Amino acid sequence: MSTHASDPLAALGSLPGVADAVDSVRKAVDRVYGHRVMRRRSNEISSEAALRGARGSAALSGADWALEEVRRRTDFSADAEARTVGAALRLGAEAGQLLSIWRQSPLRVLARLHLVAAGDPGTSVGRPRLDGETVDEPLVTAPLPMPAEVGGRLDGLAELIVAGGEAPALVTAAVVHGELLALRPFTSYNGLVARAAERIALVGSGLDPKAICPAEVGHAEQGRAAYLAAFEGYLSGTPEGVGGWIAHCGRSVELGVRESTAVCEALQRGAA
């Protein structure tokens, strides 16, 4: 991600397809927030969105469990898939506790997210990887940036978040997600952390203040192949590629909205 504009994130709003994606997401979010069930039971919708978002994020990281299995299971230590699902659930629960810190110290939040995902204070947990450390991220096989580059780009991303600016929430969230996937700054769970950070950016921006629009659901619904193809566009750095990634993230938010709208409808019918 590179641009010479004075407000780099805001400048991305002029990329192909981005303005339409931003407008479509805003309308979709407004519709679900206007649902009559939201006036009385928004906490239930938020809890269900966190659960379904965690399931979707885990699915993209190789643990594609049925929603009811995620809901039923209590032990997430048995194997690699279970640990992935457990990590996703912990991140979903933790994200809301970090909103007040995000705009002041996003790097602290990212460190905390990795610690929560890993579940133990190992020597490489909660800090960017060092020279010689390997990365366990089976979904993304793009070349790994060197640790020195990772540090510089993380600092740059943090500066953009702290500075704020005029960029739409969708643009900021998509760039946060894309940069973290590109950098894979931690030795593990980078995909889960990237998607959790995207959620924090969407919620913290005010676009989705009650956290009821789980983009992770939409990323999973569109499938791994589409996710990776869109991410390759982001990595290309071309206007079309970056714009396509932002539009893909926008469609994911819309699909998350559709999921939560269905939950609202079920609650209204008394079926959930």
Side-chain angles (χ1 to χ4, degrees), residues 129 131 143-156 179 182-183:
R129 55 188 166 83
D131 284 325
L144 276 171
M146 296 297 290
E149 180 183 351
V150 170
R153 285 172 64 176
L154 281 177
D155 287 342
E179 278 292 282
L183 297 176

Side-chain angles (χ1 to χ4, degrees), residues 153-180:
R153 285 172 64 176
L154 281 177
D155 287 342
L157 181 63
E159 288 171 7
L160 289 173
I161 294 167
V162 171
E166 301 301 318
L170 172 63
V171 171
T172 301
V175 168
V176 167
H177 185 168
E179 278 292 282
L180 292 174

Side-chain angles (χ1 to χ4, degrees), residues 174-239:
V175 168
V176 167
H177 185 168
E179 278 292 282
L180 292 174
L181 271 190
L183 297 176
R184 280 148 289 161
F186 303 112
T187 56
S188 59
Y189 296 115
N190 288 287
L192 294 180
V193 168
R195 291 183 288 275
E198 179 188 42
R199 168 179 280 246
I200 290 172
L202 289 168
V203 175
S205 68
L207 176 68
D208 179 24
K210 295 183 184 294
I212 62 167
C213 307
E216 307 97 317
V217 168
H219 287 304
E221 187 170 333
Q222 293 185 86
R224 279 181 157 200
Y227 183 74
L228 290 174
F231 175 59
E232 287 294 328
Y234 180 85
L235 284 179
S236 75
T238 65

Side-chain angles (χ1 to χ4, degrees), residues 101-102 104-114 126-128 150-151 153-159 161-162 180 186:
I101 308 171
W102 175 249
Q104 285 74 44
S105 185
L107 297 185
R108 280 180 56 202
V109 170
L110 294 176
R112 175 64 184 169
L113 290 175
H114 186 236
R127 60 156 175 80
V150 170
R153 285 172 64 176
L154 281 177
D155 287 342
L157 181 63
E159 288 171 7
I161 294 167
V162 171
L180 292 174
F186 303 112

Side-chain angles (χ1 to χ4, degrees), residues 117-137:
D120 68 81
T123 57
S124 67
V125 172
R127 60 156 175 80
R129 55 188 166 83
L130 305 175
D131 284 325
E133 290 182 329
T134 58
V135 172
D136 179 14
E137 187 57 53

